[in-house]
Amino acid sequence: MRFSIASARQRLRPGIAPTLVVLLLLPLMVGLGFWQLSRGQEKQRLVDTYAERRAAEPMGSEQLEASADPAFRRVHLRGNFDAEHSVLLDNRMRDGRAGVELLQPFHDQASGLWLLLNRGWLPWPDRRTPPVFTTPDQPVSLVAWVYVAPGETFQLRVDPTTAQWPRLLTALHPVALWAELRRSGFAYELRAEAGPGTYDTTWPVVAMGPEKHLGYAVQWFAMSLALLALYLYLGWHNAKEKHHGSRHESTQHV
């Protein structure tokens, strides 16, 4: 065993600097690969839950607050939109086209609950003119589903004394809106299915699918193997050069 270890050391002389680089980068790259695998599994569970609950029958709106896990559950709604406090979510792309999502408070008659309802996507081709939308005056009946975003949602802070309606934002959490309007409302956004008063309601489940995380994980593992292979090659190459140099010096002394 001692002979084998000594022989391996003689055959592998990578140097101090490459060794430090590998010790620093290799665990990081391998860790990022496993992190991407973990994220992919989380996204797959999210997609599976979404598919299962979106296939179920809608619940009554009065059951919504009692649900311990409301994510992606479908709900029957009937009530009125609050057109005065409309929010336009900016930077929403669909098929390469720029647009916005229209969110409005919705007062449900059956439960008496205020909900933040996303009515869908509409194009915004010209930034010089505001997006055009209309709001039904009469009560509407529709089906929506609860959207729970993975992770924390960025909230753009605005001064309520100077902000104008409709309001153009990059993101909005319902709790922030209810606090500003001094209303008691549901804590999650609801996304409408196609129905009265809706626009484009083809919603993506997640921005990045599980397969993309798997692809990134493969890339990190491949780069880790490439780094290790380069390290071993440099070690063998340096050992070979040193061995040849030693033999050359010995020949000259003879």
Side-chain angles (χ1 to χ4, degrees):
M1 180 63 70
R2 290 181 180 178
F3 175 77
S4 299
I5 295 175
S7 177
R9 287 176 178 174
Q10 290 175 357
R11 295 178 182 177
L12 186 65
R13 295 179 179 272
I16 296 177
T19 300
L20 292 176
V21 170
V22 169
L23 288 176
L24 178 65
L25 291 182
L26 190 60
L28 176 63
M29 295 165 70
V30 172
L32 287 171
F34 281 110
W35 178 76
Q36 288 290 352
L37 287 178
S38 174
R39 290 289 293 159
Q41 292 173 352
E42 290 177 8
K43 292 290 182 68
Q44 188 60 57
R45 286 194 295 268
L46 194 67
V47 170
D48 293 342
T49 302
Y50 170 84
E52 177 185 348
R53 294 185 177 183
R54 293 283 280 113
E57 287 296 315
M59 65 170 63
S61 58
E62 62 278 1
Q63 301 173 272
L64 196 55
E65 283 196 303
S67 176
D69 182 14
F72 309 124
R73 296 193 184 278
R74 303 174 71 212
V75 189
H76 274 301
L77 300 175
R78 178 170 177 79
N80 297 83
F81 290 104
D82 175 7
E84 182 182 352
H85 300 106
S86 301
V87 174
L88 298 171
L89 293 186
D90 200 4
N91 300 324
R92 297 307 196 264
M93 302 293 294
R94 294 283 177 92
D95 299 324
R97 296 185 299 160
V100 294
E101 292 176 12
L102 173 61
L103 282 75
Q104 291 177 326
F106 183 88
H107 190 243
D108 182 69
Q109 294 176 352
S111 63
L113 193 63
W114 277 103
L115 307 162
L116 181 59
L117 189 62
N118 193 325
R119 293 175 55 194
W121 179 90
L122 57 153
W124 190 10
D126 189 351
R127 303 286 296 193
R128 294 170 295 181
T129 58
V132 178
F133 61 90
T134 59
T135 302
D137 295 325
Q138 302 299 321
V140 296
S141 297
L142 48 82
V143 175
W145 54 276
V146 181
Y147 173 67
V148 179
E152 291 295 324
T153 303
F154 170 74
Q155 299 178 34
L156 184 64
R157 298 183 179 275
V158 251
D159 184 356
T161 61
T162 59
Q164 300 296 317
W165 301 95
R167 190 170 295 173
L168 184 66
L169 300 176
T170 55
L172 175 68
H173 195 282
V175 173
L177 179 64
W178 304 137
E180 179 180 345
L181 298 181
R182 297 181 180 179
R183 296 175 184 172
S184 177
F186 188 59
Y188 299 104
E189 170 191 335
L190 277 81
R191 292 183 167 180
E193 296 182 3
T198 63
Y199 291 96
D200 185 348
T201 57
T202 53
W203 305 106
V205 186
V206 290
M208 183 186 297
E211 65 284 349
K212 288 192 176 181
H213 288 285
L214 178 60
Y216 288 141
V218 170
Q219 290 180 10
W220 282 117
F221 291 139
M223 288 190 291
S224 301
L225 288 174
L227 178 64
L228 184 59
L230 179 61
Y231 175 74
L232 294 175
Y233 170 77
L234 289 175
W236 288 325
H237 179 75
N238 291 342
K240 184 178 179 181
E241 290 291 328
K242 188 167 184 179
H243 179 66
H244 287 169
S246 300
R247 289 184 59 185
H248 182 66
E249 289 179 3
S250 300
T251 304
Q252 288 181 337
H253 283 109
V254 173

